[in-house]
Amino acid sequence: MSNDLMNIARNGVLTSQSQLSVTSNNIANVNTDGYNRQVATQSTLDARKIGNHFFGAGAYVSDVKRIYNEFATRELRIGATGLSEAQTRLSKMNEMDQLYSKIGKGVPDSLNDLQNNINRLGDTPDDLGIRGSIISSAKHLAKTINQMESHLNSQFKNTNGQIDASLKRINALTKELGNINQELMEGNTKNSQLLDKQDSLLKELSEYANINVIPLEGGGKSVMLGGSVALVSGAKAMQLESKAGDPFPNETRLVVKSGDNETLVSSKNLGGQLGGLFEFRQDTLISAKNELGQFALGIADAFNQAQAKGIDLNGQVGKPIFQDINDPAMANGRAGKFKSNTGTASLSVNIDDVTKLTGAEYELSFDGTDYTLTDKATGKSQNLTLDTSTTPNQLTGGDGFSIQIKSGAFANKDKFTIRPTSGAASGIEVAMKDPKEIAAAKAKITEPDSNSGNTKVKLTAINDRSAANFPKDGKPLTFEINTSTTPKTFTVFDKDGNRIGAANQTFTGNKISAHGIEFEVNSTSGATDKFTFDLSVNKGDNRNAVEMAKLSTDFKMNNGSTSLIDVFENTKQDIGSQTSSAQIQLNSATEVFKQAENRVLSESGVNLDEEAANLMRFQKSYQASARVMTVANQVFDSLMSAMR
């Protein structure tokens, strides 16, 4: 009997020791990230039959369980994905907000400085010092826009760098998960430490992107990225890599590589840090670059148009202050060709009317018959018209722009990305060097009330102020233009109504060149209208300078809905709004994550109060079992003494 007591006591001591060991391990790992609480399952040993009775044989630890809730852990991973995406989004938006709040304020300040100098010129139109200041402030404005674009490009490079760094860590995680799967499938399914490490890696992986976890036999887990592309399949880990963008190489894409095979991963609904970076790059950064380009085009076109309406100190039609809006330096990257295109068409984009630009991005597609232009933001589509009367042929009907087919031809299903304002912010620069060429005076062109209103004229050049009958010094010329005949004709009269030259002189196209001047004629329908030109030079004439001083607020953009300065300010306000929205999103994601985390901790986390109570309970059990061993030993000694 004492032998049975000794065995029961020994089993009790070993059982209590195991319980103490598990409890101590829980306490030691209370602050270990990803640790799941363990519980020792205690069972009774089979009873022994002695005589007609069954006597218990003690207890033993039948299993050490890992407290784990798959559903709660899945919710935690989802929460971690949302939190990481929100944190990334807010971090990037804060950078943009700081950029526009601190560095960006130099753009409107520079424009105001230019406008102030032009306003000063209105007081003294012939002051060369002020004229020089205008050119200097114009250069500073262009440089400020260039620098703003440079900062946005730096943001672009940094974002791409963060994407690559994330991919590097993702690949390291998937490799570790594949190794763990290998160990688990080789028979280590009861290794709680290995399973905890697996869950910890999966949680970290979920911070980078939305993942689906598929349990395998043996404890392994396969991982799908976004529910569609395998990252880990059993012991095999795929590689996630970045690839040059299509059609713009710097807008990198994601591919999953397995051997020589690669699968393109859509950045939509990617989630996590990767999703936040791709969303920021596409929805905020590219949009900001396009809108800054729109602003640059507006600046260049507004001042160049104003110059063209005036007369400079040399008595010539005002020359452009800024680079022409369709100069190659201003037009870089407006059209992107997809690699999947089978046609040979090479395109360029020509800005026809800056005021109709929206800063939007478009997709141009060809179905074999129609050329369809779709606004990527709104989804609005329109069919463009192929004009074969021009060289090169062009597609017309865009929002303030036309698309020129420089070479080659379209094939069915060809696609292009069109960004009409791309490149302008980096390409804008001042073309004017001579301060005398600032056109403070205004060409005086009048028309009688009897005109039809269907015809407009625009002075394009003063070729020779010394030409016979040049309209100056109180000797204006009146052009009577008939656009209803073929060919179109014009007759010139002096101030007294006397005809100068032949009657009904013909002209082709829309340009008339006579008496040292050249001007365009644009008519919506045939009519006979009169226009009087007086191009006298008056050094005190400031009419055009006064109009130029109002351009930042008077020049209308976005189909007349916003002023020139509002184009930039609206981008700044939109970024501020997005930053506030990102903060709200982070607050919400934080609460969701905390709830999921608390649920996991309530089940799988270590409760020190509970473990302390267990420690005392198992200690007493250990002591009691040890006391039984002492009693058994005493009984055995008594029996031996009785037998002597």
Side-chain angles (χ1 to χ4, degrees):
M1 186 65 182
S2 62
N3 184 50
D4 290 336
L5 284 177
M6 185 65 73
N7 286 331
I8 291 173
R10 181 177 64 84
N11 291 335
V13 167
L14 293 175
T15 300
S16 297
Q17 188 179 45
S18 296
Q19 292 279 17
L20 284 170
S21 177
V22 171
T23 302
S24 299
N25 187 53
N26 286 339
I27 294 172
N29 285 282
V30 66
N31 294 317
T32 301
D33 186 38
Y35 176 78
N36 287 265
R37 179 170 58 93
Q38 298 175 11
V39 174
T41 302
Q42 186 170 317
S43 302
T44 185
L45 287 166
D46 293 339
R48 295 182 180 180
K49 186 176 182 181
I50 301 176
N52 294 323
H53 303 284
F54 287 89
F55 293 90
Y60 72 105
V61 172
S62 58
D63 193 14
V64 177
K65 294 182 179 179
R66 174 174 172 262
I67 305 302
Y68 179 75
N69 186 319
E70 176 64 36
F71 180 78
T73 303
R74 179 176 175 272
E75 291 298 311
L76 180 62
R77 287 197 295 264
I78 293 174
T81 301
L83 179 60
S84 180
E85 180 177 6
Q87 289 172 333
T88 301
R89 178 71 176 170
L90 180 59
S91 174
K92 300 303 292 184
M93 288 309 308
N94 278 332
E95 292 177 11
M96 285 289 285
D97 194 39
Q98 290 292 313
L99 174 61
Y100 271 80
S101 297
K102 295 182 178 180
I103 299 175
K105 68 180 181 180
V107 175
D109 288 348
S110 297
L111 178 57
N112 289 335
D113 184 54
L114 174 60
Q115 296 280 191
N116 290 336
N117 282 325
I118 294 175
N119 194 49
R120 289 170 57 209
L121 183 66
D123 296 331
T124 52
D126 58 346
D127 190 316
L128 289 178
I130 296 177
R131 288 170 171 268
S133 296
I134 290 175
I135 293 179
S136 296
S137 56
K139 288 180 178 179
H140 185 259
L141 173 58
K143 185 177 180 180
T144 303
I145 296 174
N146 297 156
Q147 289 175 340
M148 194 67 187
E149 175 74 359
S150 178
H151 284 295
L152 291 177
N153 288 335
S154 294
Q155 282 283 335
F156 212 99
K157 291 178 181 178
N158 290 341
T159 302
N160 283 344
Q162 287 177 273
I163 290 173
D164 289 338
S166 296
L167 299 183
K168 185 176 180 180
R169 180 56 185 159
I170 288 173
N171 290 334
L173 291 171
T174 55
K175 184 177 180 180
E176 287 188 71
L177 284 168
N179 293 337
I180 289 176
N181 283 346
Q182 181 69 36
E183 289 189 56
L184 291 171
M185 290 186 293
E186 288 177 354
N188 290 318
T189 56
K190 298 294 184 180
N191 189 330
S192 296
Q193 184 177 358
L194 206 56
L195 294 173
D196 283 348
K197 184 178 181 182
Q198 180 190 60
D199 270 345
S200 181
L201 293 174
L202 288 171
K203 179 177 174 293
E204 184 180 353
L205 184 60
S206 69
E207 293 173 2
Y208 288 97
N210 179 31
I211 60 172
N212 286 347
V213 178
I214 304 171
L216 304 174
E217 291 185 9
K221 291 180 178 178
S222 289
V223 181
M224 304 290 289
L225 179 65
S228 59
V229 181
L231 277 183
V232 180
S233 179
K236 185 177 181 181
M238 317 303 174
Q239 291 291 300
L240 192 59
E241 298 180 0
S242 61
K243 185 178 182 180
D246 184 20
F248 301 105
N250 64 331
E251 295 171 22
T252 53
R253 300 173 293 165
L254 292 183
V255 293
V256 171
K257 297 191 71 173
S258 177
D260 295 331
N261 299 321
E262 64 179 33
T263 303
L264 186 64
V265 180
S266 173
S267 60
K268 294 181 179 179
N269 303 317
L270 194 58
Q273 187 179 111
L274 274 180
L277 291 171
F278 273 99
E279 182 183 356
F280 166 76
R281 192 181 73 181
Q282 181 62 43
D283 296 344
T284 301
L285 199 48
I286 292 177
S287 178
K289 284 168 62 66
N290 288 340
E291 289 168 5
L292 184 62
Q294 181 189 10
F295 176 72
L297 289 170
I299 290 290
D301 195 49
F303 284 94
N304 289 350
Q305 279 192 38
Q307 275 285 112
K309 295 176 182 177
I311 304 295
D312 63 20
L313 281 183
N314 298 319
Q316 301 296 318
V317 174
K319 297 179 180 179
I321 293 179
F322 295 96
Q323 191 80 267
D324 185 80
I325 58 174
N326 288 311
D327 186 273
M330 293 276 280
N332 183 38
R334 290 180 181 175
K337 181 179 181 179
F338 282 89
K339 294 180 180 179
S340 58
N341 287 2
T342 57
T344 58
S346 176
L347 308 182
S348 63
V349 178
N350 192 77
I351 304 301
D352 304 315
D353 188 347
V354 166
T355 64
K356 293 182 180 179
L357 296 176
T358 62
E361 179 177 321
Y362 305 84
E363 180 178 274
L364 174 65
S365 59
F366 180 62
D367 63 3
T369 303
D370 295 324
Y371 300 88
T372 304
L373 189 70
T374 303
D375 188 318
K376 287 189 174 182
T378 65
K380 179 183 177 181
S381 297
Q382 57 181 314
N383 286 337
L384 301 184
T385 302
L386 177 62
D387 184 358
T388 57
S389 65
T390 61
T391 303
N393 294 345
Q394 62 180 357
L395 298 168
T396 61
D399 299 328
F401 62 91
S402 56
I403 301 170
Q404 297 179 333
I405 305 174
K406 295 190 298 182
S407 62
F410 279 81
N412 188 26
K413 297 183 179 181
D414 278 359
K415 293 192 305 179
F416 291 80
T417 293
I418 305 298
R419 293 176 178 169
T421 62
S422 178
S426 60
I428 186 172
E429 63 179 32
V430 172
M432 181 176 289
K433 296 180 180 179
D434 186 356
K436 292 182 180 180
E437 293 178 344
I438 295 174
K442 190 174 181 67
K444 188 176 181 181
I445 304 174
T446 58
E447 59 180 298
D449 293 337
S450 58
N451 271 8
S452 67
N454 298 326
T455 304
K456 300 295 179 184
V457 297
K458 176 184 177 183
L459 182 67
T460 57
I462 296 176
N463 297 322
D464 186 3
R465 297 188 69 87
S466 62
N469 298 310
F470 184 88
K472 64 178 181 177
D473 301 331
K475 298 179 180 180
L477 293 181
T478 298
F479 285 74
E480 184 179 79
I481 305 170
N482 186 351
T483 57
S484 61
T485 61
T486 303
K488 293 172 283 188
T489 64
F490 71 92
T491 304
V492 184
F493 300 90
D494 64 16
K495 68 174 183 176
D496 298 321
N498 299 315
R499 193 182 71 210
I500 298 176
N504 299 321
Q505 300 176 58
T506 62
F507 69 98
T508 57
N510 67 338
K511 287 188 177 181
I512 294 177
S513 180
H515 305 292
I517 66 172
E518 184 176 297
F519 59 92
E520 291 181 356
V521 179
N522 295 296
S523 182
T524 56
S525 62
T528 299
D529 293 312
K530 296 180 180 180
F531 297 89
T532 299
F533 291 78
D534 185 352
L535 304 180
S536 302
V537 176
N538 181 358
K539 292 184 178 181
D541 188 350
N542 67 350
R543 289 174 299 157
N544 203 47
V546 171
E547 291 185 9
M548 290 174 68
K550 302 175 183 178
L551 285 177
S552 64
T553 54
D554 287 355
F555 191 85
K556 297 303 180 183
M557 302 284 287
N558 293 311
N559 291 308
S561 62
T562 58
S563 67
L564 186 59
I565 190 61
D566 284 342
V567 173
F568 183 84
E569 292 296 338
N570 287 348
T571 301
K572 181 179 178 180
Q573 292 174 11
D574 184 53
I575 288 173
S577 177
Q578 288 187 52
T579 304
S580 298
S581 177
Q583 181 63 64
I584 294 172
Q585 181 185 359
L586 176 60
N587 294 340
S588 176
T590 300
E591 290 302 315
V592 171
F593 177 78
K594 284 182 178 179
Q595 290 179 10
E597 186 178 45
N598 289 336
R599 180 175 179 183
V600 170
L601 290 175
S602 67
E603 295 192 42
S604 301
V606 176
N607 185 315
L608 286 178
D609 292 336
E610 181 181 344
E611 298 301 331
N614 287 337
L615 196 64
M616 294 177 63
R617 182 160 61 95
F618 298 137
Q619 181 186 15
K620 290 179 179 179
S621 176
Y622 183 93
Q623 291 171 342
S625 294
R627 181 59 181 166
V628 172
M629 292 182 70
T630 301
V631 171
N633 189 54
Q634 291 173 349
V635 171
F636 182 76
D637 288 344
S638 298
L639 288 174
M640 292 299 294
S641 298
M643 293 177 63
R644 293 192 181 107

